Amino acid sequence: MARDPKHNILFEPIQIGPKTLRNRFYQVPHCIGAGSDKPGFQAAHRSVKAEGGWAAMNTEYCSIHPESDDTHRLSARIWDEGDVRNLRAMTDEVHKYGALAGIEMWYGGAHAPCMESRATPRGPSQYASEFETLSYCKEMDQADINMVQQYYVEAAQRARDAGFDIVYVYGAHSYLPLQFLNPYYNKRTDKYGGSLENRARFWLETLEKVRRAVGQDCAIATRFAVDTVYGPGQIEVEVDGMKFIELADPLVDLWDVDVGDIAEWGEDAGPSRFYQQGHQVPWTKFVKQVSKKPVLGVGRFTDPEKMTEIVTKGYADIIGAARPSIADPFLPQKIEEGRYDDIRVCIGCNVCISRWEIGGPPMICTQNATAGEEYRRGWHPEKFRKTKSSDAVLVVGAGPSGSECARVLMESGYTVHLYDSAEKIGGHLNTIATLPGLGEWSYHRDYRETQLNKLVKKNKDSVIALGQKRLTADDILQYGADKVVIATGASWNTDGTNCLSHEPIPGADASRADQLTPEQVMEGKKPIGKRVVILNADTYFMAPSLAEKLAVAGHEVTLVSGVHLANYMHFTLEYPNMMRRLHELGVEELGDHFCSRIEPGRLEIYNIWGDGSRRTYRGPGVSPRDANKTHRWLEFDSLILVTGRHSDCTLFNELKARESEWEENGVKSVYLIGDAEAPRLIADATFTGHRLAREIEEANPQYPLPYKREVAVWGTAHMPGGEFKIEYKV
């Protein structure tokens, strides 16, 4: 198939300074946990997108000097020749596919904690970072300004030597140039403070110096948060934003624009819970009114119709993407070939971002299990090793893990029977996607459902059997499959078992009329009273999502949480808006409280710190509850137990117990994947299914093969030699 002609405009080349983008698809800088320390990971992840049709690939934020050290997180670095050599692996691989390579030069000011380098960052004024802990900067004098601007120049020269085509002076997310421009940070009274022209001076001078140094060889870009979304007192697009664009326009070849700041950069990388694709277009339109240079807009663009609209209406010239390029590195190629229903649509869960926020483990993706695995496991998102085996595989459970496992097995040429008692593929995602704001998470199910239906048509012996009776161990042994994969998922605990006590809560029983599990709430079959208490010992989205759902429905909701409510949502950038939403709806939160026992219509709660300033020996038979004086009763009409999950692995355990019968029934092996093995993130459940399918012909595929580790060799005085090479297990 060929692409729809109305999308032709997306494939027109664009000139940016001395360089040409081959089309309008542009992977903006984003963090992956590779930096300069893992050159294989960096090169393989970026280059697979170049192969997939993206016209430019950028690094993550790239430190220009040890004064801008973001440890414990992992940024790229261009401090010295060793970094030049490591980053050249990326540029070489990207160039093989005719794409451009860009580097986002970063100086963080007080937002760089310098935990490794122990250097002192410098900024326009001295302030404490609102993002980091106990991180201050030194206020710059003129000598400091000259020195830091020279850091940019020297880093740009190293970047050119590393083979980069596009060099950024990075000023979004409250980093250094924006700190001079933003009066929130800049309290100076000299020529670098006060008026807009003065506050813009540092940035403009830096752009001039970088352009003089490398502008003949490299396109000069700047990433600019045109609105910090705080209103007066900071950067507003129609006040300082557009004026700065006019001042700097002659000095740049490309504008990469976004909104927000570092403390709440979820306003930029907006999670789908709160922001639809293209949510930044209203700001980007202002930039196009004043800039004569190409303007790049971001906003989690996944739909070619929306992309085309953005360009044809003149809102932006280039489609910038981070998360969509992770979910589907071959998105441009699929649009070009008219394979629209083969696109793995980004669901906007921001789990990819969460790994950088945690501190820099390799990035993962809920939709694309190969993301982050391109080098170390040799996985390619579109290529699969074709099997010569005639084995038939039965996959029991069509949730995230089971459906992904079945998909990859079919892609590899296996005959697969995917079996589930539910009427639809998706498992617990089908109910999760009904929670407020989580509808786009169903794209995970939709992609697998579409691909599996296509694959079944190609392999007439494969079967998708939905809405069937639950299989027993006898059924499976007699089924006729050579290999069996159990992906039966997990359920919420009905007895209150939790991570605090590791025991049931006395009186907790979701079979009672006035107590419910999250599944029972989402199924909607059990009546829920006016006064709802949600008892929480989970640290992700379930408790606040249920609170929002029920508050919107008119219930009076109280959240009793013995753990940090929604802590993981800090990492996915959902937390600030989630808390605002609960406050807006009048949800009451009792943090640092948990439950000691439950009686009809009431639960006994206590402050988890109420035992006093330290743990002491209480004597035999004296429980913390008896010693604690802070207990009180809280009444409810309905109590929701969000206390923990357990694997539904009974079927697997029964099959393992009958292993002696496998051979006589033709069963070679039985595997356990996903939540049935251990409850986990949807991304990790998907990964387990993908990994097992990739490695099912190995000696013991239940357990992962070793992966390539990129390590520094102790005692070496220079970078080790050897040609870099990417290998895919296909």
Side-chain angles (χ1 to χ4, degrees), residues 377-398:
R377 284 190 164 90
W379 291 355
H380 189 286
E382 305 294 321
K383 297 177 182 178
F384 305 88
R385 179 175 60 187
K386 296 302 180 182
T387 183
K388 296 180 180 178
S389 170
S390 60
D391 287 347
V393 184
L394 170 64
V395 180
V396 183

Side-chain angles (χ1 to χ4, degrees), residues 203-505:
W203 204 335
L204 297 175
E205 289 177 348
T206 304
L207 285 168
E208 285 179 323
K209 292 178 179 181
V210 169
R211 174 170 285 280
R212 279 201 302 270
V214 301
Q216 295 297 312
D217 305 309
C218 303
I220 308 301
T222 203
R223 200 175 203 184
F224 175 35
V226 296
D227 201 311
T228 53
V229 204
Y230 283 111
Q234 293 207 37
I235 302 299
E236 296 179 274
V237 65
E238 292 181 88
V239 182
D240 288 347
M242 294 173 74
K243 291 177 183 176
F244 178 73
I245 295 285
E246 288 184 278
L247 289 171
D249 208 46
L251 301 173
V252 304
D253 299 312
L254 171 68
W255 285 103
D256 180 343
V257 295
D258 62 8
V259 301
D261 71 336
I262 188 61
E264 292 193 26
W265 69 285
E267 300 305 299
D268 171 25
S272 59
R273 177 189 292 273
F274 299 110
Y275 293 107
Q276 295 181 336
Q277 92 171 279
H279 76 279
Q280 297 193 48
V281 168
W283 288 279
T284 309
K285 289 160 65 174
F286 284 108
V287 178
K288 282 290 293 177
Q289 292 175 26
V290 293
S291 175
K292 296 179 174 62
K293 301 297 176 61
V295 174
L296 181 156
V298 293
R300 197 168 53 86
F301 295 112
T302 59
D303 179 3
E305 297 294 317
K306 187 70 172 179
M307 298 177 194
T308 301
E309 178 191 2
I310 298 305
V311 176
T312 55
K313 289 186 175 180
Y315 300 157
D317 302 294
I318 299 167
I319 302 300
R323 293 167 291 169
S325 75
I326 299 167
D328 199 333
F330 279 70
L331 185 150
Q333 187 180 103
K334 291 174 181 178
I335 295 174
E336 186 168 23
E337 295 174 354
R339 297 166 49 213
Y340 301 106
D341 60 354
D342 288 337
I343 295 171
R344 258 189 315 277
V345 177
C346 170
I347 71 172
C349 64
N350 281 5
V351 164
C352 54
I353 290 166
S354 73
R355 294 305 177 99
W356 176 81
E357 286 282 345
I358 286 169
M363 171 205 64
I364 63 174
C365 176
T366 302
Q367 270 284 50
N368 176 15
T370 70
E373 307 296 343
E374 300 90 350
Y375 178 74
R376 68 178 190 168
R377 284 190 164 90
W379 291 355
H380 189 286
E382 305 294 321
K383 297 177 182 178
F384 305 88
R385 179 175 60 187
K386 296 302 180 182
T387 183
K388 296 180 180 178
S389 170
S390 60
D391 287 347
V393 184
L394 170 64
V395 180
V396 183
S401 184
S403 61
E404 177 71 355
C405 184
R407 180 186 75 88
V408 176
L409 287 170
M410 288 189 200
E411 291 277 16
S412 302
Y414 277 94
T415 295
V416 178
H417 285 211
L418 178 61
Y419 193 103
D420 201 305
S421 60
E423 298 289 339
K424 190 171 179 63
I425 286 170
H428 70 309
L429 251 178
N430 291 322
T431 51
I432 287 173
T434 67
L435 291 170
L438 299 188
E440 291 194 47
W441 288 26
S442 62
Y443 288 139
H444 182 284
R445 172 202 64 210
D446 296 347
Y447 172 75
R448 281 148 191 86
E449 189 172 54
T450 298
Q451 299 307 309
L452 285 165
N453 286 331
K454 285 186 175 185
L455 289 162
V456 164
K457 289 179 181 178
K458 291 179 181 178
N459 186 339
K460 300 300 184 183
D461 293 325
S462 289
V463 174
I464 300 174
L466 303 174
Q468 307 296 310
K469 75 177 186 73
R470 290 185 178 272
L471 292 176
T472 65
D474 282 333
D475 293 331
I476 290 173
L477 289 172
Q478 296 165 19
Y479 194 91
D482 300 288
K483 296 179 179 179
V484 178
V485 180
I486 303 297
T488 43
S491 302
W492 288 91
N493 298 334
T494 60
D495 60 1
T497 298
N498 60 87
C499 64
L500 296 169
S501 71
H502 291 194
E503 297 283 351
I505 298 171

Side-chain angles (χ1 to χ4, degrees), residues 509-521:
D509 182 1
S511 69
R512 291 179 50 88
D514 62 350
Q515 296 183 37
L516 303 90
T517 63
E519 291 103 337
Q520 291 172 330
V521 175

